Amino acid sequence: MKFKILFILVSMAHLAIGQSISGKVLEKTPDGEQPLVGAIVKWLTPPQNPVSTDSTGAFSLNKSKGQHQLILSYIGFKTDTVMAHGEGPFTFYLSTDSQSLGEVVVKSRGTSIDRIAPQQIQIITTKELAKAACCNLSESFETNASVSVSYSDAITGARQLQMMGLSGKYIQTNIENMPGVRGLTIPFGLNYVPGTWIQSIDIAKGVSSVVNGYESMAGAINVELQKPDNSERLYLNAYVNELGRSEVNLNMSKKLSDKLSVGLLSHGSLLKNSIDRNNDSFKDLPEYDQINLLNRWKYNSDRFSGQLGINYMQENREGGQMETVVNSPRYVFSNQTKRLNLFSKTAVLFPEAPYRGLGLIMNGSFLKSQSVFGSNPYDGSENTFYSNLIYQDILGNTQHTYKAGLSFLADSYRENFANFNSPVELNRDELVPGAFFEYTYNKLDKSVLVLGMRLDQHNIFGTQFTPRMHFKQDVGNGSTVRLSAGKGFRVPNPLAENYGKLVSSRKVVFEEPIAPEISWNVGGSLTHEFGKNSFILDAYHSFFEQQQIMDMESAGLLRVYNSTGNSFATSVQAELSLVPSDRWELKAAYRWLNVKHYMRTSEGENVVRQRVFVPRDLVLLNGTYSLPYDKWKVDLTLQYKGKQRIPFETADRYADGFVTVNTQISRNFVNWEYYLGAENLTNFRQPNPIITPDNPFGDDFDAGQTWGPVVGRIIYAGARFKIR
């Protein structure tokens, strides 16, 4: 009797602790089968108890009551979910996935979090982009709290990014991991990427991977465009707003065979109405027209992948005083830009070792831009060649991987500006060969450490060493901690990067030659996911060893000099995303910034001052309600921007905070979607965005002190048609 009781107690204890199962994970090859070393095995339901396979592909995994489904994953192979009844031993086989050598990304809703990446990365999908008009990249962040976009001035229509308190020139903005918005494209480059071309946008905070170069200082944005092998056969989008702005986008793709596909992305837009809602005799937005075409060919096989593409864009802008001004010379702004972009992306694949790969990216860009600011012409041209050779492999097993490669960047800049009198040479040719190495330690996707370094030899500014580190650790149930630190380096283009400040009577004065900017960024984040909901808290701090300052504090001058003092930017952000039901998506975010520059007064004294046009506080609220199958969908976004400092030499002046509200309602059918929306429902407009508009050729004229909306409320409508 005592023996039976003891047996029952032991059995109950065994069940309480849980059983274990064992097995192997293998790959079928032409020669038979081989073990997959370092494959991850875990249960579908918690506790998942992830383990990795050993040198023979074997594993042993604890099992709790009711667990019968396993998830098997391995780099370069298709993730599989299998049934596992009993204790085994089992034998499972994974098949290769030659389409992907990257990290696994778990996506949900319009904005998702890359759960495996060691860097804090948010992914904006086409579902999120459809919540607003999203006519181009500059209008793709309306529902995102991490990235802000604003007009740089009240005349040109140029827009500028801001992340973590620093402007877009410090954000490495790539198009499919190739140079995108940089150099002389900064003023209008965001407008050169139509929204309907975008497949997804990755927003990474902190320094990025050394694989992508040395220019990331305050985060990175990578835009993935529609690919011909997995997009709609035909996608048509038409848009119009009450100002008279109209756009047509037509995307087409066709699979010519199982391996070869071709796609054409096309865009045309224009605004030919003269708008002056604040009656200051200046057009609130420039009239413009743009034609943009991209043709891409893509080839995929088991051992080779290749893409070739060509992109041509032409845009004309004209702003300034209204044509009705006849009693004095008109102040006219104009810009004509042409850009040709050629690219290729090739990769050698190894089906027998899917963790191994060799890729080569090449990109050539040619830009010509001609502008006039009143009586001051500005001409610029930029020719760029970029190549990046990347090899990836493992060190022993897939817990230890690395990427190594060689890069080359060549930039040729030619600039000429009339309102400029300085011995500083703006024309330059930069040649930068570089090499990089990045090691990754990955333990069951729960602990990930990335250590990277690169060495670049700049022909003008010498050798540059760039170290970077990223770390990710899963803690508890659904919580993840990420840390990052690293260095950034870039050579500024002061006129293009301060394009909106040229719309004034200020004279540009270079007090010393152009020098590189060097910064360090440290920070981290805590992400907690509970069900379909998530909470993110992050804090990042950037500080500069050397920074170029475009000083607006002196009347009539734009003073350019290099600061080696304590310039810094600190950003703290909290974001809560909730999905209370299948019909509702809610988001609330708050961001606090402290950004200061180490500056010189006109008398030569050093001072630390708050950076101008940076709101200390930002609040974003977004809500989406949809009926089943997204038949009807309503989106509402409220954004509050706090006080911003305005440039003034003798004392600090601040513009008051303001609120904007955007909304959109859409109706979906099988192939059609119609949408109607409004931007800036509160109709808030910055009072007097142009200083002395009645005397544009006088000493006090300035249209470059814009801190709020200029146009006010805009109603728009559109339609989308798809053939899958």
Side-chain angles (χ1 to χ4, degrees):
M1 184 67 180
K2 291 181 180 181
F3 175 78
K4 291 183 179 180
I5 294 175
L6 179 61
F7 177 78
I8 293 172
L9 291 175
V10 171
S11 299
M12 292 176 63
H14 178 70
L15 291 174
I17 296 173
Q19 298 174 324
S20 65
I21 67 169
S22 62
K24 286 187 176 183
V25 181
L26 308 174
E27 174 200 9
K28 290 184 178 179
T29 66
D31 300 326
E33 56 188 30
Q34 66 178 17
L36 295 180
V37 183
I40 296 174
V41 183
K42 59 185 178 182
W43 293 108
L44 178 65
T45 58
Q48 292 183 305
N49 300 326
V51 297
S52 59
T53 56
D54 61 18
S55 59
T56 65
F59 69 90
S60 177
L61 179 65
N62 290 334
K63 177 182 180 181
S64 299
K65 186 176 181 181
Q67 290 183 320
H68 302 290
Q69 289 181 289
L70 287 171
I71 299 176
L72 312 176
S73 61
Y74 191 67
I75 295 176
F77 285 73
K78 295 178 180 178
T79 299
D80 198 3
T81 302
V82 297
M83 299 299 296
H85 295 291
E87 298 181 3
F90 302 97
T91 300
F92 301 116
Y93 296 93
L94 289 180
S95 57
T96 59
D97 183 3
S98 61
Q99 305 299 316
S100 175
L101 287 173
E103 294 85 356
V104 177
V105 176
V106 181
K107 296 184 178 181
S108 63
R109 306 191 303 276
T111 302
S112 58
I113 303 166
D114 191 332
R115 297 177 181 173
I116 296 178
Q119 192 176 5
Q120 183 188 345
I121 298 178
Q122 281 188 320
I123 303 169
I124 301 176
T125 66
T126 53
K127 183 178 180 181
E128 186 75 9
L129 297 175
K131 292 182 178 181
C134 187
C135 297
N136 55 58
L137 182 59
S138 73
E139 298 164 323
S140 301
F141 305 98
E142 299 292 337
T143 61
N144 189 276
S146 298
V147 179
S148 299
V149 181
S150 60
Y151 284 106
S152 63
D153 61 90
I155 291 180
T156 69
R159 295 201 179 199
Q160 56 187 0
L161 286 175
Q162 188 182 105
M163 183 191 293
M164 300 193 302
L166 295 176
S167 59
K169 61 184 179 180
Y170 299 112
I171 305 166
Q172 187 174 29
T173 304
N174 287 345
I175 309 297
E176 297 189 353
N177 294 313
M178 296 177 289
V181 183
R182 64 182 295 274
L184 303 192
T185 65
I186 283 181
F188 302 110
L190 297 173
N191 298 332
Y192 300 160
V193 185
T196 56
W197 293 14
I198 299 173
Q199 177 178 292
S200 65
I201 304 173
D202 297 348
I203 302 174
K205 287 191 173 182
V207 291
S208 66
S209 167
V210 294
V211 175
N212 296 323
Y214 50 81
E215 292 185 329
S216 170
M217 302 174 94
I221 294 173
N222 185 57
V223 181
E224 289 292 329
L225 303 181
Q226 299 288 346
K227 309 297 190 298
D229 58 337
N230 60 9
S231 59
E232 293 88 358
R233 285 187 295 156
L234 185 145
Y235 182 99
L236 175 67
N237 175 73
Y239 165 95
V240 65
N241 68 25
E242 63 175 300
L243 303 180
R245 174 182 171 183
S246 57
E247 300 195 0
V248 175
N249 301 275
L250 178 63
N251 301 346
M252 296 182 290
S253 65
K254 183 176 179 59
K255 288 188 175 182
L256 303 177
S257 67
D258 292 339
K259 298 180 179 179
L260 182 63
S261 57
V262 61
L264 175 67
L265 307 178
S266 61
H267 167 88
S269 60
L270 58 85
L271 170 63
K272 292 301 180 182
N273 292 339
S274 297
I275 311 297
D276 182 20
R277 289 182 170 180
N278 57 10
N279 299 314
D280 61 0
S281 81
F282 275 80
K283 300 175 185 179
D284 297 336
L285 290 173
E287 300 176 35
Y288 84 98
D289 59 79
Q290 182 187 125
I291 295 294
N292 208 338
L293 301 169
L294 188 152
N295 177 226
R296 181 203 300 261
W297 295 76
K298 186 173 183 180
Y299 177 85
N300 276 323
S301 68
D302 292 338
R303 293 188 174 273
F304 180 80
S305 175
Q307 298 183 55
L308 292 173
I310 180 171
N311 175 213
Y312 176 77
M313 191 283 310
Q314 177 176 315
E315 183 180 80
N316 302 297
R317 290 173 174 256
E318 183 174 311
Q321 283 187 296
M322 302 285 286
E323 287 79 0
T324 54
V325 177
V326 294
N327 296 327
S328 60
R330 284 179 57 224
Y331 186 100
V332 176
F333 159 76
S334 66
N335 171 262
Q336 295 82 41
T337 298
K338 296 180 180 180
R339 187 178 73 164
L340 177 66
N341 191 39
L342 307 168
F343 67 89
S344 69
K345 304 171 74 174
T346 55
V348 178
L349 309 174
F350 301 86
E352 68 282 358
Y355 45 78
R356 184 177 300 135
L358 178 65
L360 175 63
I361 299 173
M362 292 193 296
N363 174 268
S365 180
F366 310 91
L367 179 139
K368 178 69 174 178
S369 178
Q370 295 177 306
S371 301
V372 175
F373 301 92
S375 58
N376 298 318
Y378 167 67
D379 297 334
S381 66
E382 176 185 2
N383 298 325
T384 296
F385 174 76
Y386 169 81
S387 65
N388 201 13
L389 179 67
I390 309 168
Y391 177 76
Q392 66 178 42
D393 207 336
I394 63 174
L395 295 170
N397 58 59
T398 55
Q399 282 192 355
H400 307 274
T401 62
Y402 70 91
K403 294 180 181 178
L406 302 172
S407 66
F408 181 71
L409 178 64
D411 287 313
S412 177
Y413 296 106
R414 298 292 182 268
E415 293 180 275
N416 183 41
F417 182 49
N419 194 17
F420 170 76
N421 184 13
S422 173
V424 172
E425 180 60 56
L426 295 178
N427 300 335
R428 66 183 189 275
D429 296 310
E430 298 183 26
L431 302 174
V432 192
F436 58 86
F437 182 85
E438 185 177 78
Y439 163 78
T440 300
Y441 170 75
N442 186 331
K443 184 178 180 181
L444 306 175
D445 293 336
K446 299 180 70 174
S447 301
V448 182
L449 174 65
V450 179
L451 299 174
M453 65 181 111
R454 64 176 298 128
L455 196 67
D456 296 277
Q457 183 62 41
H458 199 287
N459 65 312
I460 300 175
F461 300 108
T463 304
Q464 303 295 328
F465 176 67
T466 306
R468 291 176 183 171
M469 180 277 294
H470 300 93
F471 175 71
K472 172 216 166 187
Q473 178 64 53
D474 291 347
V475 291
N477 186 16
S479 296
T480 302
V481 174
R482 290 179 172 89
L483 302 172
S484 69
K487 179 184 176 184
F489 164 87
R490 66 181 299 273
V491 179
N493 293 280
L495 296 183
E497 293 165 4
N498 297 277
Y499 191 86
K501 296 181 177 64
L502 304 182
V503 194
S504 70
S505 61
R506 295 173 180 266
K507 189 175 187 62
V508 180
V509 177
F510 281 76
E511 298 184 356
E512 51 197 313
I514 294 175
E517 296 184 290
I518 302 172
S519 73
W520 292 82
N521 180 277
V522 295
S525 67
L526 170 65
T527 302
H528 180 67
E529 295 183 284
F530 47 106
K532 296 181 180 180
N533 314 302
S534 66
F535 173 75
I536 304 173
L537 176 65
D538 63 61
Y540 290 88
H541 180 72
S542 299
F543 57 95
F544 288 82
E545 289 185 12
Q546 183 163 280
Q547 183 181 31
Q548 186 183 85
I549 305 293
M550 175 70 84
D551 192 332
M552 301 179 64
E553 310 292 339
S554 301
L557 297 177
L558 288 172
R559 299 170 52 230
V560 184
Y561 52 85
N562 304 315
S563 171
T564 57
N566 186 27
S567 296
F568 66 87
T570 302
S571 168
V572 179
Q573 180 173 312
E575 181 174 323
L576 176 66
S577 298
L578 300 174
V579 185
S581 70
D582 291 339
R583 297 188 179 184
W584 283 98
E585 293 181 18
L586 304 173
K587 181 193 299 180
Y590 171 75
R591 186 182 69 205
W592 176 85
L593 298 173
N594 184 25
V595 186
K596 293 188 177 181
H597 286 174
Y598 191 83
M599 309 178 72
R600 290 200 301 256
T601 66
S602 55
E603 290 79 21
E605 296 180 0
N606 294 322
V607 294
V608 178
R609 307 196 71 174
Q610 201 79 23
R611 182 172 180 241
V612 296
F613 308 130
V614 176
R616 189 190 68 172
D617 307 286
L618 180 138
V619 176
L620 184 140
L621 302 174
N622 173 257
T624 301
Y625 177 79
S626 58
L627 292 178
Y629 309 107
D630 287 342
K631 201 170 186 179
W632 284 94
K633 188 164 65 173
V634 180
D635 297 286
L636 182 70
T637 302
L638 180 148
Q639 192 172 121
Y640 166 77
K641 289 186 177 181
K643 291 184 177 182
Q644 305 175 50
R645 191 175 79 82
I646 300 173
F648 200 64
E649 188 168 25
T650 58
D652 285 344
R653 295 190 304 169
Y654 288 86
D656 292 332
F658 61 92
V659 173
T660 58
V661 177
N662 299 339
T663 187
Q664 178 180 280
I665 182 171
S666 58
R667 175 68 166 91
N668 283 295
F669 297 91
V670 176
N671 297 111
W672 284 95
E673 178 184 359
Y674 301 94
Y675 56 93
L676 174 68
E679 298 176 353
N680 194 5
L681 269 177
T682 58
N683 199 32
F684 176 81
R685 290 182 293 180
Q686 175 183 339
N688 306 316
I690 300 177
I691 298 174
T692 66
D694 55 335
N695 187 20
F697 294 97
D699 294 337
D700 298 326
F701 173 73
D702 193 346
Q705 297 197 33
T706 305
W707 49 264
V710 176
V711 179
R713 181 175 54 247
I714 301 176
I715 308 297
Y716 64 85
R720 303 181 181 102
F721 175 72
K722 302 177 183 179
I723 298 179
R724 301 186 184 279

